[in-house]
Amino acid sequence: MQIQDLPYPDPGVPDARSGPRFLWWLGRNQLGGQFKALAWGLLHFLAVSALPFCVGLAVQSVVDRSGTRLALTGALMAACGACIALGELMLHRTAVTNWITAAARVQQLLARRTALLGSALTRRVAAGEVVAVSTGDVEKIGWFVEAVSRFTAAAVTVVVVCVALTVYQPALGVIVAVGVPVLAVAVLPLLPRATRRADFQREKAGRATELASDTVAGLRVLRGIGGEELFLDRYRRASQDVRRAAVRSARMWALISAIQVLLPGLLMIAVVWRGVQLARDGRIEVGELVTVYSAVMLLTYPLRHFEEIAMAYSFSRPSARRAARVLSLERAMDSGGSLAGQVPSGDLYDPVTGLLAPSGRFTAVVCGDPDAAGLLAERLGGHASEPAEERPDGAPRTASVVLGGVPLDELPLECARTAVLVQDKDPVLLSGSLSELLDVPASGLVSAEAALSAAQCGDVLEALAQGSLGAEDAMDARVTERGRSLSGGQRQRLALARSLITDPEVLVLDEPTSAVDSHTEARIADGVRSLRAGRTTVVFTSSPLLLDHADRVVLVHEGEVAAVGLHRELVQSEPRYRAVVTRETEEEAAGELTGRAPLGEVTADDEAVLDGVLEEIEEKA
């Protein structure tokens, strides 16, 4: 495959059982490129290794005063030079192609896995590790994949040269044939320690990256509370840990490099010393001594690739292990989908909590625990990150949400996501123009103007237009990365407009107005209800303004539906609901539930409750 053919139409199914298996799988999927690089590498290395023989022949031709042999040797050297240039050029081209294509394949696999897992990914793998895998680790994996072919060509060349020297001049060739394998394996005892230090450095770097990501994401909040210096100090300490780990790792690799320089030098000294003795005794010609000396000197060039492959494998193995860990993650309700066809419609039902969202209705869900609300919202969209639960009697309890009688985990993933769209409480805005931000898969029934109007984005458009020079149309205004130039409420409203444009069969919104003032929130409630008329909408919120606009309000308490009704009815009749919506204290809520005033006073309401209880007891008696 050529670079212009990227990205792959199908990157394949990786073998993510371990890091080495993943590297082997990548190599198998690029055999064509590997063989090309091997062929050009052999041409290059063998041409380089042939030069000492040409030099030896030239020297011997001068000693023998043979002009014909000298001319032939010159032509042979010119041919070797041409092969060296062509081989090096094409080797570099094919090796870089292998590097880029391997990295592109890994990035595609990671992107697809990230899209599949959604927000569940960062709950199972640290955000810093995900960033490290998708950036530095991808490059190191590609480095090893492309270094394999060069190393193979260098190893074949070393074997050929050792055999040729043994045949050409056995007295010196045997020394070279015995010494070169020693050079090749001399650094192997040091590799495990170097690998451990490299792993430790990666771990520290991942931790520092995670701290930096957290600090940047919360910089506005940190400045508000004066905590940026605290986080900066933490990052400084983490970066110093990375520096110290990098120095320790570099020392080990410097020792390996020194050994790779020292041992070939010692071999060359041994060959020259023995060669001079043989030349004095007249057992070898001067040209033969020059040939063997030049061959040993040039052998250090392919031998350097033994060090490179050791470094590449040591650095890429932990990187491949991290990539394989991410690629091996599966959705808790992962399924290829046994049902295909049209997107289902109807009531949305969660058998775990008992939550029912009638088709075409505006349903509001109140949870006392924001984390539980987020998990329930994800489960409604088929993004459950936890395995199926069990009932108290031990029987299996399915975690699959049902839409129109069809379990979501029996639908193809694309079909399930078309049917149900979930917007979490912290949506991400990508950089680009506003029109690009709103260019999402949609039914086409909701225009961008209608969605922006329902989400009350008028002031957002003005702010973007003022901040984008030369943007005549507000839709051409630029949105910065993650919308950092906008306030939290503005980002929230833009994300809501983007979700409204898609016009899914079921729209699940998790706290869509938590950063919006009450007046804007009331207008958003009217706009969303009007725009989503006839569509199923589920909103997780505790805002009375949104709850008052809902057709149906559901209270979920401790993982189960505890009450269903209208907002005003539940405020009057359900103390637990009132405690969440009105932010009552625990003491006040306890007083409501027990029928006692918080301060021990007996009120008229208490007496009425007690009278009602006594009447019920008398009737039952």
Side-chain angles (χ1 to χ4, degrees), residues 226-247:
E228 64 270 24
E229 287 299 329
L230 174 63
F231 273 76
L232 287 176
D233 288 340
R234 290 175 59 188
Y235 181 73
R236 289 191 189 100
R237 291 194 296 270
S239 63
Q240 289 302 313
D241 291 340
V242 175
R243 181 188 62 80
R244 286 189 288 269
V247 170

Side-chain angles (χ1 to χ4, degrees), residues 485-509:
S485 60
L486 302 173
S487 67
Q490 290 174 329
R491 289 196 299 269
Q492 208 170 49
R493 282 177 280 161
L494 274 183
L496 176 59
R498 180 179 58 186
S499 299
L500 292 174
I501 287 176
T502 60
D503 190 35
E505 181 67 27
V506 179
L507 177 60
V508 180
L509 304 172

Side-chain angles (χ1 to χ4, degrees), residues 169 171-172 273-285:
Q169 179 46 253
L172 296 178
W273 177 75
R274 180 57 178 167
V276 169
Q277 288 184 333
L278 295 176
R280 285 179 177 177
D281 296 339
R283 297 171 57 183
I284 63 172
E285 300 291 340

Side-chain angles (χ1 to χ4, degrees), residues 45-130:
F45 287 124
L46 290 176
V48 170
S49 301
L51 285 177
F53 294 93
C54 296
V55 172
L57 290 175
V59 171
Q60 194 61 41
S61 299
V62 172
V63 173
D64 296 340
R65 299 180 180 276
S66 175
T68 302
R69 283 193 296 165
L70 184 61
L72 292 174
T73 303
L76 184 60
M77 292 181 68
C80 288
C83 291
I84 291 173
L86 178 63
E88 184 175 16
L89 173 65
M90 297 306 297
L91 173 61
H92 179 74
R93 179 184 177 88
T94 53
V96 170
T97 300
N98 289 338
W99 186 337
I100 294 176
T101 51
R105 187 188 296 274
V106 177
Q107 286 177 330
Q108 279 188 259
L109 292 170
L110 290 172
R112 293 192 177 194
R113 184 58 51 179
T114 301
L116 177 67
L117 294 172
S119 60
L121 174 63
T122 53
R123 288 201 300 270
R124 301 167 70 178
V125 179
E129 184 172 347
V130 176

Side-chain angles (χ1 to χ4, degrees), residues 150-420:
R150 284 207 308 268
F151 163 72
T152 305
V156 172
T157 301
V158 168
V159 172
V160 170
V161 170
C162 290
V163 172
L165 288 177
T166 303
V167 174
Y168 178 72
Q169 179 46 253
L172 296 178
V174 171
I175 298 177
V176 176
V178 172
V180 167
V182 174
L183 299 182
V185 301
V187 298
L188 290 182
L190 300 177
L191 289 181
R193 181 177 297 179
T195 301
R196 287 193 297 270
R197 292 189 179 185
D199 290 347
F200 184 73
Q201 178 191 351
R202 296 294 182 282
E203 180 183 350
K204 292 295 184 181
R207 173 59 179 163
T209 303
E210 185 176 357
L211 280 175
S213 177
D214 292 342
T215 302
V216 172
L219 191 58
R220 180 176 296 182
V221 176
L222 291 175
R223 286 176 176 172
I225 62 176
E228 64 270 24
E229 287 299 329
L230 174 63
F231 273 76
L232 287 176
D233 288 340
R234 290 175 59 188
Y235 181 73
R236 289 191 189 100
R237 291 194 296 270
S239 63
Q240 289 302 313
D241 291 340
V242 175
R243 181 188 62 80
R244 286 189 288 269
V247 170
R248 292 184 70 248
S249 179
R251 286 173 179 169
M252 184 57 64
W253 289 110
L255 176 61
I256 292 175
S257 298
I259 293 175
Q260 291 287 327
V261 173
L262 175 64
L263 294 184
L266 295 177
L267 176 62
M268 189 175 299
I269 291 173
V271 169
V272 171
W273 177 75
R274 180 57 178 167
V276 169
Q277 288 184 333
L278 295 176
R280 285 179 177 177
D281 296 339
R283 297 171 57 183
I284 63 172
E285 300 291 340
V286 175
E288 293 176 337
L289 177 59
V290 172
T291 297
V292 176
Y293 170 78
S294 301
V296 174
M297 182 177 64
L298 289 179
L299 271 180
T300 58
Y301 173 54
L303 281 175
R304 284 203 299 268
H305 290 82
F306 284 72
E307 177 188 356
E308 182 194 17
I309 195 65
M311 292 181 64
Y313 181 73
S314 298
F315 280 90
S316 65
R317 189 172 63 86
S319 298
R321 184 174 63 248
R322 283 192 291 267
R325 179 189 174 195
V326 174
L327 294 175
S328 64
L329 297 176
E330 298 288 347
R331 296 168 63 227
M333 297 191 307
D334 201 9
S335 173
S338 58
L339 299 177
Q342 297 182 351
V343 177
S345 61
D347 297 343
L348 184 70
Y349 176 67
D350 177 27
V352 173
T353 60
L355 173 62
L356 173 66
S359 176
R361 305 289 294 279
F362 189 137
T363 302
V365 181
V366 176
C367 290
D369 184 1
D371 293 334
L375 292 174
L376 179 54
E378 291 183 357
R379 186 161 64 247
L380 292 180
H383 300 273
S385 59
E386 303 297 333
E389 302 176 1
E390 291 187 354
R391 291 198 298 262
D393 59 3
R397 188 179 200 180
T398 178
S400 176
V401 173
V402 178
L403 176 61
V406 179
L408 288 182
D409 61 357
E410 294 184 9
L411 291 171
L413 183 60
E414 296 79 5
C415 187
R417 291 192 172 178
T418 302
V420 184

Side-chain angles (χ1 to χ4, degrees), residues 542-556:
S542 59
S543 168
L545 291 173
L546 282 176
L547 294 170
D548 197 38
H549 284 77
D551 300 321
R552 175 186 174 93
V553 178
V554 180
L555 172 65
V556 177

